[in-house]
Amino acid sequence: MSASSPDSRPPSIGRRALLGAAAVATPAVLGAATPAAAAPSPAAAGSARKKPRALPGGGDLGPNVIVFDPSTPGIQARLDEVFRRQESAQFGTGRYALLFKPGTYNGLNAQLGFYTSIAGLGLSPDDTTINGDVTVDAGWFNGNATQNFWRSAENLALVPVNGTNRWAVAQAAPFRRMHVRGGLNLSPDGYGWASGGYIADSRIDGQVGPYSQQQWYTRDSSIGSWLNGVWNMVFSGVEGAPAQSFPNPPYTTLGTTPISREKPFLYLQGNDYRVFLPEKRTNARGVTWGNGTPRGTSLPLSQFYVARPGVSAATLNQALVEGLHLLLTPGIYHLDRPIQVNRAGTVVLGLGYATLIPDGGVTAVQVADVDGVRLAGFLVDAGPVNSATLLEIGPRGASRDHSANPTTVQDVFVRIGGAGAGKATTSMVINSRHTIVDHTWVWRADHGEGVGWETNRADYGVVVNGDDVLATGLFVEHFNKYDVQWNGQRGRTIFFQNEKAYDAPNQAAIQNGSIKGYAAYKVGDGVTTHEGWGLGSYCYYNVNPSIVQHHGFAAPVRSGVRFHNLLVVSLGGQGQYECVINDTGSPTSGTSTVPSTVVSYP
């Protein structure tokens, strides 16, 4: 496929990762109030009084948050410097947030490498306009974009130089709250392999061209048009989305998103930083910012403990007890105990892919069974001592109704191995009812350091025990057993992307009783109501290509347990599926990498 004559047909697709490589101000928001921080409990207050002084709120954002305004000299040179450091630093320690104050910037090309976030500091994307590009390409990996992970763009308006902005990403690379005054190309230069991705609360005035992108999820946005699809393109609440047509073209289109609440974001009011907390929407469609000021509440930075790498988990927890929220500035944080989020409405917001590493087998973050916690924008990287869990939303047995004010988990990513040996029995456990998981990538590494069937052992990716949980944009890959195990009632998933573990040594290693292999997505036997739209599972058993996976999906056969638009794919014939879901669906075969699909089940 040449750049001069793009074809709606994708190029030959290979597998994702290995081919091609051997204080307080009044709020300026409509209908918004500025909530005060919740007072600590009497016991907590007494504990705080014993301290020499309370921890301060607010403060400097640190050296790896780089803030520009239109008069800043040498912006392009600084962007290029960060990109040189981060372009190929897939498992490096650098973390950066590039923040642009409201205004107009001319002639910029912000190329984004690993662990780099770029964002505007206005209340609306149109407050911060770049006449130029925010670019992700794959020159560092010979034109293969399947490893362009861990980078993000938020809250900017772009006027691309040639009319189309390039955003060739894979997993954990959200494109949120963006306005592209032109088109958006989701493939690398040369139309090499690509494996993404996620767009939310964004407006693309022109055409979105995925070209070689294997799968993509777009939520609550507006687009001029959509060009093509490879395997699994899912839309919910998107104005201008193509009509439902799975499997040919492979479009799954929902008119609205049942429940959504956009990710918190940092912005400037005058010279003061604040964090905006968008309100919950039901049956959402289109962007939140398109018709005037967005709706929600606003917190001053003085209500946040601004954390720097090197701070202890005890200090983070003290800040939470004292009623502060957490803003994690870019860097790596080692934890010798869990971060305990026990107060309703707490915000834990990371900048620049702030990374939490639990040491000694502890859990990184534990959230109580309370209303309205918002976790957003950070990476949890498993440590070398096995953790039973890495992230827990609600304790075991949590049962409170949070429908009016759910907990949200957004752009929170989990990694086991890759940067070094890591282990976790279960990566993410959702026990609280009504939790919204909005874009996550939970990944047992298939490449990098500390990778092997037992070296980075991780049996389960996401386990959902809570009722009424909604997942929008669920990416979970390579776990030794079930990638997703869903035990709660009335769960819903819109878009799921999965690859089974590559490195199983033999058929016996994945045997699940009498069943060949663990399903990528397993609905518990006791579940009576569940629904999923646009779910895909791929296998690439490169250590032993003779391995057979019975199915990608497993669920009880009940009228209330329903699936729409499922697919399984054998990547190049490295392993095969016998069925798609339970005993239904045609087997994959040969080396042609053609999906086997089921449009409706049961």
Side-chain angles (χ1 to χ4, degrees), residues 66 68 75-90 94-98 109-118 133-141 147-151 166-169:
I66 304 170
F68 303 102
I75 297 176
Q76 187 65 56
R78 195 69 194 276
L79 296 174
D80 292 344
E81 176 191 0
V82 172
F83 180 63
R84 281 192 297 270
R85 293 177 189 172
Q86 300 303 114
E87 180 183 11
S88 58
Q90 181 171 181
R95 304 286 188 273
Y96 293 92
L98 309 173
N109 181 18
Q111 298 182 82
L112 299 188
F114 288 97
Y115 314 109
T116 304
S117 298
I118 188 170
D133 297 83
V134 172
T135 301
V136 178
D137 208 344
W140 74 278
F141 200 41
Q147 291 184 24
N148 281 348
F149 314 137
W150 304 306
R151 62 202 76 196
R166 185 181 301 279
W167 185 255
V169 297

Side-chain angles (χ1 to χ4, degrees), residues 284-346:
R285 182 173 174 85
V287 301
T288 63
W289 48 268
N291 296 303
T293 310
R295 299 193 66 89
T297 56
S298 177
L299 296 172
L301 198 62
S302 60
Q303 291 185 17
F304 285 79
Y305 177 72
V306 180
R308 299 279 196 94
V311 69
S312 69
T315 299
L316 296 173
N317 283 328
Q318 181 188 344
L320 292 170
V321 166
E322 291 177 3
L324 293 169
H325 307 272
L326 297 182
L327 185 71
L328 305 173
T329 64
I332 295 175
Y333 298 75
H334 282 269
L335 307 174
D336 63 356
R337 67 195 72 178
I339 297 173
Q340 299 275 3
V341 181
N342 296 325
R343 190 180 72 256
T346 299

Side-chain angles (χ1 to χ4, degrees), residues 210-551:
Y211 299 102
S212 55
Q213 280 287 352
Q214 296 162 350
Q215 65 278 317
W216 200 276
Y217 176 48
T218 307
R219 178 182 63 72
D220 298 350
S221 293
S222 175
I223 62 176
S225 61
W226 190 273
L227 178 63
N228 73 299
V230 177
W231 295 332
N232 190 30
M233 304 283 142
V234 180
F235 309 83
S236 68
V238 178
E239 297 168 346
Q244 167 70 37
S245 58
F246 187 90
N248 187 27
Y251 299 149
T252 297
T253 302
L254 287 74
T256 61
T257 304
I259 306 167
S260 65
R261 190 174 69 193
E262 298 304 329
K263 178 185 171 186
F265 62 91
L266 194 68
Y267 75 103
L268 277 172
Q269 181 174 288
N271 294 319
D272 297 325
Y273 286 107
R274 301 180 69 86
V275 173
F276 190 81
L277 308 178
E279 70 175 16
K280 186 187 77 168
R281 298 198 290 169
T282 57
N283 297 318
R285 182 173 174 85
V287 301
T288 63
W289 48 268
N291 296 303
T293 310
R295 299 193 66 89
T297 56
S298 177
L299 296 172
L301 198 62
S302 60
Q303 291 185 17
F304 285 79
Y305 177 72
V306 180
R308 299 279 196 94
V311 69
S312 69
T315 299
L316 296 173
N317 283 328
Q318 181 188 344
L320 292 170
V321 166
E322 291 177 3
L324 293 169
H325 307 272
L326 297 182
L327 185 71
L328 305 173
T329 64
I332 295 175
Y333 298 75
H334 282 269
L335 307 174
D336 63 356
R337 67 195 72 178
I339 297 173
Q340 299 275 3
V341 181
N342 296 325
R343 190 180 72 256
T346 299
V347 179
V348 180
L349 176 61
L351 301 179
Y353 286 82
T355 300
L356 307 177
I357 301 179
D359 295 326
V362 303
T363 298
V365 181
Q366 293 177 320
V367 178
D369 192 16
V370 294
D371 272 357
V373 171
R374 305 186 195 221
L375 307 181
F378 58 87
L379 171 64
V380 178
D381 203 354
V385 178
N386 185 74
S387 293
T389 58
L390 293 173
L391 179 67
E392 295 177 5
I393 308 301
R396 183 184 297 272
S399 60
R400 294 180 181 175
D401 186 321
H402 303 296
S403 56
N405 191 9
T407 285
T408 47
V409 182
Q410 299 177 285
D411 300 347
V412 173
F413 308 116
V414 177
R415 178 173 70 196
I416 301 96
K423 292 186 177 182
T425 303
T426 303
S427 297
M428 184 184 295
V429 180
I430 310 294
N431 292 318
S432 287
R433 293 181 62 193
H434 303 102
T435 298
I436 300 171
V437 180
D438 175 46
H439 190 228
T440 189
W441 184 39
V442 182
W443 186 57
R444 175 180 168 265
D446 60 272
H447 62 276
E449 297 296 323
V451 172
W453 184 249
E454 297 295 342
T455 305
N456 63 328
R457 180 87 194 187
D459 284 351
Y460 306 102
V462 176
V463 175
V464 179
N465 297 317
D467 295 340
D468 307 291
V469 171
L470 171 66
T472 52
L474 188 60
F475 299 72
V476 189
E477 298 189 298
H478 308 313
F479 286 85
N480 296 75
K481 293 185 178 179
Y482 293 123
D483 298 278
V484 172
Q485 183 167 356
W486 204 300
N487 302 317
Q489 298 287 355
R490 298 175 298 281
R492 291 175 290 184
T493 295
I494 303 173
F495 181 89
F496 172 67
Q497 187 265 326
N498 166 262
E499 288 178 350
K500 295 301 300 173
Y502 300 159
D503 52 353
N506 50 51
Q507 190 75 45
I510 64 163
Q511 193 69 16
N512 180 16
S514 62
I515 300 172
K516 298 172 185 174
Y518 290 80
Y521 189 106
K522 162 71 172 174
V523 178
D525 294 340
V527 173
T528 58
T529 306
H530 187 92
E531 196 159 11
W533 297 262
L535 283 64
S537 177
Y538 320 150
C539 74
Y540 184 77
Y541 288 114
N542 64 325
V543 171
N544 190 333
S546 68
I547 289 176
V548 174
Q549 176 86 22
H550 180 63
H551 48 216

